[in-house]
Amino acid sequence: MLTARQRLVALSGGGLVLAALFLFVGLAIARLVALGGWAAALAVVTDRYILGVLQFTLFQASLSTALSILFAIPVARALARQRHFAGRIWLVRLLAVPMGLPALIGALGLIAVWGRQGIANQGLSFLGLSEPVSIYGLTGILIAHVFFNMPLACRFLLIGLERIPGEYWLMSASLGLRGRDVFRFIEWPVMRRILPGVAGLIFMLCATSFTLVLTLGGGPKATTLEVAIYQALRFDFEPPRAIGLALMQIAVTAVILAVIALLPAPEDRGLTLGKPVRRLDAGRAGARLADTVAIGVMLVFTALPLIAVLVAGLRSDLMKLVAEPIVHEAALTSLVLSLSAGLIAVVSALAIVHAQQAAAGGGLLLRGFSLALAASSALVLLVPPIVLATGWFLMLLPTGDVGAFAAPLVAAINAAMALPFVVRLVGPAFREHRIRTGRLAASLGLSGWARLRLIDWPGLRKPLLMGLSFAMALSLGDLGAVALFGSDNLMTLPWLVYSRMGNYRTADADGLALLLGLICLALTVAGTLPRAETPEEDRNR
Amino acid sequence: MTAIRLENVALTLGDKHFFFDTEIASGAITAVTGASGSGKSTLLNLIAGFETPDKAFPGKMGTGFPFGNATKSSMGRILVDGKDISRLHPAERPVSLVFQDNNLFGHLDLLTNIGLGISPSLKLSAADRDRISAALTRVGLGGFEKRLPPTLSGGERQRAAFARALVRNRPLLLLDEPFAALDPGLRGAMAALLCDLHRESGNTVLIVTHDPDEVARLADHALFIEDGRILVAAPVAEFLQRRDSPGLAAFLGANPA
Amino acid sequence: MPSHIIRNLVSAAALSAAALLGLHGPASAADKTLTVYTYESFISEWGPGPKVKAAFEKTCGCTVNFVGVADGVALLSRLKLEGAGSKADVVLGLDTNLIDEAKQTGLFDASGVDTSAAKVPGDFKDDVFVPYDYGHFAVVYDTQAMKTPPASLKDLVEGDPAQKIVIEDPRTSTPGLGLLLWVKSVYGDKAGEAWGKLKKRVLTVTPGWSEAYGLFTKGEAPMVLSYTTSPAYHMVAENSDRYQAAAFSEGHYIQIEVSGLLKNAPEKQLARDFLAFTLTPGFQDTIPTNNWMMPVAKTSEPLPDAFGKLVNPEKTFLMSPEEVAKNRKAWIDEWLAAMSMN
């Protein structure tokens, strides 16, 4: 439903983003390789230590991904089925908070629950167990990765489940489908369509995990490639080796993602808007019990560490912290940076899905283009921020004032890291929106700004805002990219948290972490405002 | 003989009140008409079991709510052939449903979609499969067993929905604007198919429609609902002559034909 | 309030654009500027930075411009990235283990500063780098969780595995490397075996000091690898003597922080003045209660009482920077092998 010109504009938009992405990553890598040549970079594939690290990286990432998803499925199912209970929207919002926390803060929150002195062990000792159960090791890594990623999977699954038309539920009730039939015939097909993408994202996040793996891993047996990359770039200063490791990380993960992508999944055909959703199966005793358990377990698992962060934060001198100019500065810098990153990510994601839409049904070339868009917008997550930052630092050195580029560069790096998430969030909504409005808009001859303002913005506002808040939360908690440039240029909140921790001021750090969590929650609230109930819905509720 | 009887059935949704007390003729096609939001779908939802009648009447006086002769029983009932079904789960009611859209699960082929009408866990015998194929052939979709709904036209999807109703073989068929999304030309053919199927099975059909021509062409009886209650219930010839309210006049045209 | 930040960000963006277009603003005609690269916590508002800046600017007729990066290692990386074109005059915050690598870059020049005023245990002397503070690595323990702390490294290695310690990773942090060298200094060829035993007491190995100390103060482990000066913070700033350092009979490994001036320093004389200044009370006064390390030279006032209560190691271990640089990889491999065994 696009004119030739619209199609061209859409395709070139996607091409532009693709080119920018390639240049952004490629130039950084090329600049670093130039320091020592490919031979040094490629030597990593024969390094036995590295191969061991690679093995562990993949092992823990696979396990973390599987557990996150297995946990998320019943929770998302329960939240989709139980649509009306007090606090449901806050529960959904809660799912967004872990993502915005710096890894170290999340780890400390988890330790307050699962650590040797944590709530879990205190409970056990109350039951008469004298030796504390230790989570340090694979267990700790898995708990942490599930804590950070199960909510992510849950959100994506929930979005998918909530797009199922209302008639399906009425029909399934009328046909007498029981819980397991509903799962088999309705819920699972929808989840199966979403899971490969989500699993890919989670796998990449877990594979590139650093602080969590080291802090909770109990020893150097638990080492990821990201640790080796950091070591190579920062401690040993062997940039080509770092690049070799980064490329290894990208290549191996790309293979795994390709395999995941090849798993048969029903196509997303863009469902038409149906009747409002009424879940008659929500009240059944079995469903109620299963859902209460799933939501309860999720709540305890996710909320307890967050409560620990909250309690620790409240113990700090919050009033004093909030009055500090440097905290204002850091908060504002963080917000401006994450807003820039979020906007770049959302606009790029829109360009990508728009181009994919325009390329759909085209020839081999267009299909290849579409695939390249999908692959590059996903794999960018695997490029370690420290590699991008270091490469660009070197690139910009000749300008004489690298510091001046710190802000835009950090925003760009964060945007690139958020892009895969935003594409997954905005993509389905965009396709659905275009199916719904494409013909009408085309027949009315609406295009350009008018179409954007009158049709696209109202229809896509919700997913776009959600994508923006998602991307912002993600870059809010990020520490990595800023580290190289130094605090004289950019002082962000996570940086301030680390800085205070590095100076014995743990109470301050706890307080700042709480602020960070609250900002994250506020962003999520903005991204998930309850939709205005339409009269139609009102009538049928 | 009365197939469906709604006795003092009251329902409150938000600030809307509905009250139905009527009989629907057995073995006939009854058209349900009325303006948007008047309660047509709600009537079907009550019969299908998606809504449960209020346990007691809302006691507020002065709301203009029609109490009817509710002194004997404080609770509305829905009877089908004398049996109270108002507390039954939708699946236990003698009802098949066809909506305007999304009647078929988009990712399941027609065999599965229709098979679910026989067994909710899809345990199908060879005989069941034959019945499904026969039903598909009957609605003009012979050989479409493996097709996915998105590959079908709107009319074909509604035919498949009829095929499912056929294999379910329930005495009551509820249709909620089943042809509203179809081209006018197609509507006539679909209406004819519905009439044929109805004649063959002798089932009771309740069809919500916005189209007075459809009422004239299909229905034996017709209801007009206004503000949550039934204003007119009459055989179709009489119905078409009624002009009880401006709303009904607007629906049928200013002057009786 | 923070409108200046927006201005900064905007001007940063504008500058980026200008730089991309090859435009350069007119050089500012302000007075001389001394650019000092250091680590972030040095220049944070509770660190020594602000006081040092004020004190030096009083005498130099210049502006001190601090550039802070994450830590000493990042400092060296940054220098290597910038090479001869670096705008830094002074680099402050490398430690003795990084000195050899720093010299290999060929970016540093002899300090020309008389360091006789600097008194560092272990008799560190260098003509390029000037020491400005030091601290001994130590096992800090929680007196509420541990009544009898280990009295020696041997005690630590062979003690009750149920009493855990959190240590840092030598691959990613300087304290981690410090412990590695400490164990090597005491155990020599038997270091691998010692790690094999100590492994049972190690709760976890964190990427940096902050994570380790965070776990420790949250009560996860009764011991952490930190500095002899760590208890001073708790005594002075929190008025608490709960956390104490354990004195080890073999001795303690030392970390000495140094500064140096760059060959291509735009303001070389100013840089030299600054290095000399680091050994005066104006600088040294800020070290104990802002950097929480030991001063190397005279302070104008005696140290707070808390510092008198700190562990004062009888013997100090310090390997030559060359030896560390030569063996670091092999020793880390040894550590990896020992720590990864089941």
Side-chain angles (χ1 to χ4, degrees), chain A residues 217-222, chain C residues 156-167 179 183 191-205 334-342:
Chain A
K221 253 203 297 189
Chain C
L156 178 72
V157 167
E158 294 173 0
D160 177 9
Q163 296 273 23
K164 298 288 184 190
I165 182 170
V166 182
I167 64 170
L179 181 61
V183 172
E193 286 167 40
W195 279 113
K197 287 183 198 156
L198 182 56
K199 177 179 178 289
K200 299 188 195 85
R201 295 193 86 169
V202 172
L203 180 69
T204 194
V205 183
E334 179 185 60
W335 177 82
L336 276 174
M339 291 293 288
S340 302
M341 270 187 322
N342 283 314

Side-chain angles (χ1 to χ4, degrees), chain C residues 139 146 148-161 163 165 186-187 197-198 201 223 246-250:
Chain C
V139 169
M146 207 173 193
T148 45
S152 63
L153 194 59
K154 186 166 179 291
D155 264 7
L156 178 72
V157 167
E158 294 173 0
D160 177 9
Q163 296 273 23
I165 182 170
V186 172
Y187 282 90
K197 287 183 198 156
L198 182 56
R201 295 193 86 169
M223 295 183 283
F248 280 6
S249 57
E250 296 97 336

Side-chain angles (χ1 to χ4, degrees), chain C residues 260-273:
Chain C
L261 65 89
L262 287 135
K263 237 177 223 158
N264 297 338
E267 298 286 351
K268 212 158 180 177
Q269 189 49 48
L270 212 49
R272 199 159 279 140
D273 293 347

Side-chain angles (χ1 to χ4, degrees), chain A residues 32 35 49 53 104 107-108 111 114-118 131 134 136 210-211 213-223 227 230-231 233-239 312 324-326 328-330 332-333 336-337 390 393-394 396-408 483-491 495-496 498-506 508 510, chain C residues 1-6 9 12-13 15-17 19-20 24 40-47 65-71 73-74 77-78 80-83 87 101 162-164 169-174 177 202-207 209-211 213-215 217-222 226-227 229-231 233-234 237-238 290 292 328-329 332 335-336 339-342:
Chain A
L32 286 177
L35 289 180
Y49 163 68
V53 169
L104 172 57
L108 290 180
I111 281 164
W114 300 100
R116 285 158 55 88
Q117 304 297 323
E131 274 297 291
S134 176
Y136 297 92
F210 177 143
T211 305
V213 168
L214 279 190
T215 305
L216 299 171
K221 253 203 297 189
T223 295
V227 176
Y230 180 89
Q231 185 191 357
L233 210 48
R234 283 282 300 282
F235 234 69
D236 302 342
F237 200 73
E238 297 174 15
E324 283 182 41
I326 192 161
H328 300 163
E329 185 179 323
L332 194 65
T333 307
V336 171
L337 279 180
T390 311
F393 186 92
L394 282 171
L396 295 170
L397 211 48
T399 63
D401 191 7
V402 184
F405 295 94
L484 190 72
F485 295 97
S487 58
D488 52 322
N489 292 307
L490 288 172
M491 171 60 83
W495 186 239
L496 200 58
Y498 263 82
S499 172
R500 300 250 158 148
M501 282 204 88
N503 225 289
Y504 293 101
R505 278 156 171 90
T506 27
D508 280 10
D510 288 339
Chain C
M1 204 233 346
S3 62
H4 68 278
I5 303 151
I6 299 180
L9 286 165
L15 259 175
S16 320
L20 279 176
H24 290 284
E40 203 282 322
S41 68
F42 190 87
I43 58 170
S44 64
E45 56 181 16
W46 53 89
N65 176 28
F66 282 120
V67 174
V69 297
D71 53 29
V73 181
S77 298
R78 169 112 178 205
K80 286 178 178 173
L81 288 174
E82 293 187 344
K87 283 191 290 185
E101 260 185 86
Q163 296 273 23
K164 298 288 184 190
D169 197 318
R171 293 172 295 176
T172 51
S173 78
T174 41
L177 186 59
V202 172
L203 180 69
T204 194
V205 183
T206 65
W209 179 88
S210 299
E211 289 87 352
Y213 213 77
L215 287 182
T217 50
K218 298 268 175 201
E220 269 304 278
S226 188
Y227 298 91
T229 45
S230 299
Y233 171 80
H234 299 287
E238 295 174 344
N290 291 101
W292 303 104
R328 186 166 65 91
K329 276 203 178 133
I332 284 181
W335 177 82
L336 276 174
M339 291 293 288
S340 302
M341 270 187 322
N342 283 314

